[in-house]
Every structure is written in C-alpha cells, then in structure tokens.
Amino acid sequence: MPGLIGKKIGMTSVFSADGKNVPCTVIEVGPCVVTQIKTADTDGYEAVQLGFEEKKEKHTTAPMAGHFKKAGVAPQRHLAEFKGFNEVNLGDTITVDLFTENDFVDIQGVSKGKGFQGVVKRHGFGGVGQSTHGQHNRLRAPGSVGACSYPAKVFKGMRMAGQMGNQNVTIQNLQVVKILPEHNLMLIKGSVPGSKGSILIIEK
C-alpha cells in the first residue's frame, strides 16, 4: 500500500468530540521525494522508492550520489519502497496530504533497546519461591527449563533471559486523529515503536 517515511516527534493528547482525552503520537511525515520508480520489466516488481531528509553531498557515497542525480533530487538520508502509487514521476514530492483524518494506518519502526533483561521483565514471568523464610535469591528466577532423563535437553524457543527490544515492530490499524499539513505533522491515536527522533514507515 502507498505510504511515507516519517520521524517520531513525541507524544501529546487531544480531546475528542465527546470530550474524551485521547493520547496521541506526533509524527513528522514527509515531505518525501521520488528517487526511483521500479517496474516489472526492469526490476521484476513494481514499487516506488521514496527519500526522506536531505543530507550533504559530501556525506553521500559516489554510487548513491549518481542515483540521486539521475532522479534530479538532493541526496536523501533515508530510503524506503512502497507499492500502490499511481501516476508519480521521478523528483515528485509527496506530502502528508496523502493521508486524511480518521484513516487507519500501519506503522513500522525499531523498538527501544532495553539491553539484557531477565524473564520477569522480558516475558512477564511471575517469579518463583517465597519472599520470606530465607528464600530471597529465587524471586525472579525462571524456574525449571527442561526435564532430566527425557528429553534430556532444553527445547528450542524456551523463554529465557536475553536481549530485549531493538527489533522491527509493526503496529496495525492505528487511527489518524489529526493532520497539520502546514507543519507536515500527523497525530496518531496511541503509541508507536521507537524513541523520539526514530524513523518510521507509515502505510495506508
């Protein structure tokens, strides 16, 4: 589906028509420029490559500089491909006007990295043991992870402590609450992956 590249600005809240306080995420969406149009004849599939945020040419590799020069646009910091665009040309600028209020969108981003975490925080385990009578060192332990004589191994996929966060996450069916085209801003109901300043992919 068609979409745009954006940047997470932060969170706020607005009041709905019935007086409810709605938490919203503020996203800077576009403007994005068309840097490449892929066709089935030349690339094997149809898609449109969009660029977001200009950068200096001295920070661009020679092959990418030639790629942007062919499209007639300034070097872009972030690139992404989208399907479903019709009648677009190289160098065209697509703004937040692609979306309308009350649309439903899918947003993809990289979640916040939380480092190495135990099973209580990572998987929601309740912990084992007692909090009294000397059982103080097993409160947040994972418990048994496998059987002894059979199968005599730990099954693959067993939930254990480990790296948490810093993964690609897609949240579907988020509602567009408000659009501010003069500032290229969009207000999305609820939260989205990532921290402030992280790059997001917003698709219809």
Side-chain angles (χ1 to χ4, degrees):
M1 297 298 289
L4 290 174
I5 311 172
K7 179 192 292 185
K8 182 175 179 179
I9 303 298
M11 292 201 70
T12 184
S13 61
V14 297
F15 286 99
S16 61
D18 55 357
K20 292 183 178 179
N21 191 10
V22 180
C24 298
T25 303
V26 183
I27 304 175
E28 179 186 351
V29 182
C32 297
V33 294
V34 179
T35 56
Q36 186 180 3
I37 298 177
K38 298 194 173 184
T39 62
D41 296 333
T42 58
D43 303 285
Y45 65 99
E46 294 184 354
V48 172
Q49 184 188 80
L50 298 182
F52 176 66
E53 281 192 348
E54 293 186 6
K55 66 176 180 178
K56 294 181 179 180
E57 192 167 350
K58 68 177 183 179
H59 296 152
T60 307
T61 61
M64 291 306 298
H67 178 72
F68 294 127
K69 187 175 181 181
K70 182 178 179 181
V73 300
Q76 303 292 309
R77 192 174 302 277
H78 307 285
L79 298 175
E81 291 185 4
F82 299 89
K83 296 182 178 181
F85 278 106
N86 295 320
E87 299 179 358
V88 293
N89 301 310
L90 283 176
D92 285 356
T93 300
I94 305 175
T95 65
V96 70
D97 293 329
L98 177 70
F99 303 97
T100 58
E101 293 183 3
N102 297 320
D103 275 353
F104 286 90
V105 296
D106 297 344
I107 297 183
Q108 176 184 340
V110 179
S111 63
K112 291 181 180 179
K114 301 183 185 301
F116 190 97
Q117 297 296 332
V119 293
V120 173
K121 179 166 183 172
R122 193 182 189 206
H123 300 295
F125 281 18
V128 297
Q130 304 176 44
S131 58
T132 57
H133 299 287
Q135 302 296 325
H136 57 82
N137 63 336
R138 302 295 296 168
L139 291 179
R140 300 174 71 89
S144 175
V145 295
C148 182
S149 60
Y150 180 82
K153 65 178 181 179
V154 178
F155 284 111
K156 185 177 181 180
M158 178 67 64
R159 294 178 297 171
M160 294 184 178
Q163 166 67 34
M164 182 179 178
N166 195 31
Q167 295 179 331
N168 281 324
V169 177
T170 301
I171 300 183
Q172 298 178 318
N173 296 328
L174 292 173
Q175 186 177 6
V176 178
V177 175
K178 194 172 185 179
I179 292 179
L180 304 172
E182 63 274 12
H183 300 293
N184 298 315
L185 294 179
M186 174 191 296
L187 271 63
I188 298 290
K189 183 178 180 180
S191 61
V192 301
S195 56
K196 293 179 182 179
S198 59
I199 298 300
L200 304 171
I201 304 296
I202 303 103
E203 290 184 299
K204 280 194 172 183

